[in-house]
């Protein structure tokens, strides 16, 4: 059994979906659990539907949803060469469900509605891919992953109930392989015990695939991407990047933690726990070697690994009346960050101050600052970049920091992290 994951970019056009079919056909007789994401940028478009709905701009939300429906139906018609197929009824049902949601008054949290609306991207993409594959002679079963992935109700970042899910994998998923070698499931989504749909966090399909690989004891997981493999930096941000042929789970988990966008950070643990290798392969050219991520990879020859997180904010907290920031105060501060669901990317503290760097999410920051402001003076500085380099070399660091002002710096033997100022961004006292 192998687990394959295809992301939005590999499903963004008719040609690409047909091409995915070719890749799958290159593994005849293999049992494949295929996890697919929403097509192209559908998730971003559905996020706009959710936002407009929640701001009570119902007509805009409905129009945006209609556009998504039209694009998908049109694509499905072209793939199948007809508009008469049970797929169209299935698609209709998914859209009608969201239309009902849009008809409601938003009385629950935004995150709840977000999940009810945005999850549709994966449902419709997998329904289309599954119908097209069967039409093209690639026999498969479509799986509603919400019958299998049980989670808590932490909407937009739901946590998987491992025991329930493992049991459902055994009783629902494994039997599906009795009558076909291929099962197609949605990434990114799941369901609570109240049958409410949840999502697992943006880009969560990698994680879904990792959980499946673990629970099915797969021999490997492959993430098919539009890049040649796992690179030492984002080629959109840096010139001269190189593909890394092999790398360990722990290196990748570090990089994902620091913000590398290649693989969802939660993906590694379920694979590492069962020693299942993860391949990152290029779907545009399946014969390229790509990268293998595994426990015993040879990391001696690793180049410097660079992660750049843009749009960062430095929050600086000072106690009022010059009271020391002691352990109890730090724990209070952490509690506030936790309650506001804000992740700290880098932190430092002094006698009467505490500084940290976080992603710029204006809604969360507003809440956070309000909460911190009760006991502390708060300053913030936005428009920053957080640069992380593992296996750094001084010359490279000099190059990467030219014309940058460094606001925070942390170095360990292997890793350096620098919070840098891009342009003149004034700190403002609240
Ligand atoms: N479609 C979701 C997203 O774009 C999940 C994924 O692609 O993994 O975030
Ligand atoms: Mg995606």
């Amino acid at each position: 059994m192998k687990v394959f994951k295809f992301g939005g970019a590999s499903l963004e056009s008719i040609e690409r979906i047909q091409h995915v079919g070719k890749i799958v056909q290159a593994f005849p007789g293999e049992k494949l659990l295929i996890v697919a994401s929403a097509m192209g940028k559908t998730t971003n478009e559905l996020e706009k539907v959710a936002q407009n709905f929640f701001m009570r701009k119902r007509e805009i939300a409905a129009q945006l949803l209609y556009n998504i429906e039209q694009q998908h139906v049109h694509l499905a018609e072209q793939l199948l060469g007809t508009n008469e197929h049970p797929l169209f009824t299935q698609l209709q049902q998914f859209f009608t469900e969201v239309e009902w949601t849009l008809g409601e008054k938003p009385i629950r949290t935004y995150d709840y509605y977000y999940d009810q609306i945005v999850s549709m991207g994966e449902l419709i993409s997998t329904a289309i891919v599954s119908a097209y594959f069967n039409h093209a002679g690639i026999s498969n079963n479509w799986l509603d992953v919400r019958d299998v992935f049980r989670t808590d109700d932490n909407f937009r970042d739901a946590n998987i109930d491992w025991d329930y899910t493992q049991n459902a994998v055994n009783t629902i998923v494994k039997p599906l392989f009795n009558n076909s070698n291929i099962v197609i499931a949605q990434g990114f989504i799941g369901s609570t015990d109240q049958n409410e749909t949840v999502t697992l966090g943006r880009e969560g399909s990698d994680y879904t695939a990792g959980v499946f690989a673990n629970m099915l004891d797969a021999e490997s997981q492959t993430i098919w991407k539009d890049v040649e493999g796992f690179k030492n930096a984002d080629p959109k941000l840096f010139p001269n990047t190189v593909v890394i042929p092999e790398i360990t789970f722990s290196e990748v988990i570090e990089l994902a933690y620091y913000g590398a966008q290649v693989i969802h950070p939660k993906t590694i643990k379920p694979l590492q726990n069962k020693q299942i290798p993860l391949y990152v392969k290029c779907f545009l050219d399946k014969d390229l070697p790509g990268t293998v991520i595994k426990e015993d990879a040879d990391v001696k020859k690793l180049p410097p690994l660079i992660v750049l997180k843009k749009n960062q904010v430095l929050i600086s907290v000072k106690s009022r009346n010059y009271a020391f920031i002691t352990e109890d105060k730090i724990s209070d501060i952490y509690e506030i960050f936790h309650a506001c669901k804000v992740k700290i990317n880098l932190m430092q503290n002094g006698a009467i101050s505490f500084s940290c760097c976080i992603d710029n999410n204006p809604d969360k920051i507003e809440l956070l600052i309000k909460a911190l402001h009760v006991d502390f003076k708060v300053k913030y500085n936005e428009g920053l970049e957080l640069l992380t380099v593992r296996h750094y070399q001084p010359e490279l660091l000099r190059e990467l920091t030219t014309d940058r002002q460094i606001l925070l710096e942390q170095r360990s033997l292997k890793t350096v992290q620098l919070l840098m100022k891009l342009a003149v961004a004034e700190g403002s006292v609240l």
Side-chain angles (χ1 to χ4, degrees):
M1 169 91 61
K2 290 186 165 79
V3 174
F4 281 0
K5 182 259 173 172
F6 291 98
S10 56
L11 304 169
E12 74 182 5
S13 66
I14 295 164
E15 296 73 28
R16 288 203 166 179
I17 295 170
Q18 289 166 336
H19 187 70
V20 166
K22 297 250 157 59
I23 292 178
V24 170
Q25 279 174 318
F27 295 83
E30 293 262 15
K31 293 209 184 304
L32 299 177
L33 186 290
I34 296 178
V35 172
S37 304
M39 292 172 177
K41 298 271 176 254
T42 308
T43 304
N44 295 354
E45 287 163 30
L46 285 165
E47 282 186 335
K48 288 189 201 131
V49 175
Q51 284 155 5
N52 279 287
F53 161 73
F54 207 68
M55 292 188 300
R56 310 211 175 205
K57 294 184 184 162
R58 216 165 275 178
E59 270 167 39
I60 301 178
Q63 181 63 47
L64 291 169
L65 183 69
Y66 179 75
N67 296 346
I68 296 169
E69 178 173 1
Q70 289 304 301
Q71 286 159 15
H72 281 79
V73 168
H74 182 66
L75 184 122
E77 283 172 0
Q78 285 180 286
L79 279 168
L80 297 176
T82 172
N83 58 10
E84 296 206 6
H85 188 284
L87 169 68
F88 295 99
T89 320
Q90 195 187 3
L91 293 179
Q92 183 87 60
Q93 279 162 358
F94 290 137
F95 280 100
T96 308
E97 237 175 81
V98 177
E99 277 159 21
W100 280 341
T101 303
L102 296 189
E104 285 175 29
K105 268 204 192 95
I107 47 169
R108 297 187 59 174
T109 62
Y110 174 66
D111 290 354
Y112 165 80
Y113 288 109
Y114 177 101
D115 282 2
Q116 308 319 302
I117 294 168
V118 171
S119 55
M120 203 187 43
E122 269 63 18
L123 290 165
I124 53 180
S125 82
T126 51
I128 294 173
V129 170
S130 170
Y132 165 68
F133 275 18
N134 278 323
H135 166 83
I138 309 166
S139 155
N140 72 91
N141 282 314
W142 181 82
L143 170 71
D144 188 334
V145 82
R146 295 173 298 176
D147 296 335
V148 178
F149 272 51
R150 168 66 59 82
T151 70
D152 63 8
D153 63 357
N154 191 24
F155 295 104
R156 291 185 72 181
D157 192 16
N159 301 294
I160 292 171
D161 175 339
W162 281 78
D163 291 339
Y164 182 98
T165 304
Q166 175 72 69
N167 190 42
V169 165
N170 295 343
T171 55
I172 300 173
V173 184
K174 287 182 182 167
L176 286 175
F177 284 98
N178 290 340
N179 67 353
S180 120
N181 279 335
I182 297 173
V183 171
I184 300 182
Q186 308 76 47
F188 178 55
I189 69 173
S191 169
T192 67
D193 59 359
Q194 303 295 309
N195 279 331
E196 291 173 331
T197 303
V198 297
T199 65
L200 307 175
R202 283 302 306 260
E203 307 302 330
S205 299
D206 293 347
Y207 177 44
T208 305
V211 174
F212 266 129
N214 174 300
M215 293 188 174
L216 289 163
D217 290 304
E219 63 176 87
S220 65
Q221 172 178 336
T222 305
I223 297 182
W224 294 92
K225 293 184 76 77
D226 56 355
V227 291
E228 300 104 276
F230 194 101
K231 293 194 147 191
N232 70 320
D234 184 345
K236 289 188 206 105
L237 301 176
F238 297 95
N240 312 325
T241 55
V242 291
V243 174
I244 299 165
E246 55 179 79
I247 185 166
T248 55
F249 288 122
S250 51
E251 277 295 333
V252 173
I253 223 163
E254 293 285 340
L255 292 173
Y257 173 80
Y258 292 127
Q261 304 258 311
V262 193
I263 292 164
H264 190 281
K266 285 184 179 171
T267 314
I268 301 299
K269 185 175 186 296
L271 298 173
Q272 193 277 339
N273 287 355
K274 288 216 172 153
Q275 294 298 317
I276 298 168
L278 171 59
Y279 294 92
V280 180
K281 298 267 290 176
C282 179
F283 71 82
L284 299 168
D285 185 351
K286 67 175 175 45
D287 298 324
L288 288 177
T291 301
V292 58
I293 302 163
K294 56 181 183 176
E295 189 82 12
D296 56 354
D298 181 7
V299 288
K300 274 186 236 94
K301 286 183 236 112
L302 277 182
L305 307 170
I306 306 167
V307 180
L308 186 69
K309 253 170 121 52
K310 294 198 172 197
N311 206 9
Q312 297 292 293
V313 177
L314 175 64
I315 303 267
S316 305
V317 170
K318 253 196 185 148
S319 59
R320 299 186 193 277
N321 314 322
Y322 280 75
F324 285 124
I325 301 256
T326 45
E327 288 75 6
D328 55 336
K329 284 268 183 304
I330 292 179
S331 121
D332 291 347
I333 294 171
Y334 262 91
E335 206 122 292
I336 293 172
F337 276 79
H338 180 68
C340 299
K341 294 189 180 178
V342 176
K343 179 179 167 286
I344 295 175
N345 297 330
L346 180 67
M347 78 84 142
Q348 231 163 52
N349 68 304
I352 55 165
S353 67
F354 171 97
S355 307
C356 69
C357 156
I358 59 176
D359 293 347
N360 191 358
N361 180 326
D363 296 342
K364 285 187 182 174
I365 290 180
E366 201 188 311
L367 277 179
L368 179 77
I369 288 176
K370 256 195 204 139
L372 288 169
H373 208 233
V374 177
D375 286 324
F376 304 96
K377 279 195 251 168
V378 187
K379 270 171 102 183
Y380 81 100
N381 206 324
E382 51 190 356
L384 309 176
E385 288 181 335
L386 179 61
L387 176 75
T388 305
V389 186
R390 277 180 72 74
H391 315 290
Y392 56 91
Q393 299 151 352
E395 181 50 33
L396 174 72
L397 284 186
R398 257 194 303 279
E399 227 172 83
L400 292 171
T401 54
T402 326
D403 301 332
R404 300 283 198 281
Q405 186 194 346
I406 295 167
L407 283 86
L408 270 189
E409 170 166 352
Q410 248 166 46
R411 273 175 204 246
S412 67
L413 224 50
K414 276 192 185 160
T415 311
V416 60
Q417 286 198 284
L418 304 167
L419 184 65
M420 311 186 299
K421 202 173 203 162
L422 270 178
V424 193
E426 293 275 287
S428 35
V429 182
L430 297 171

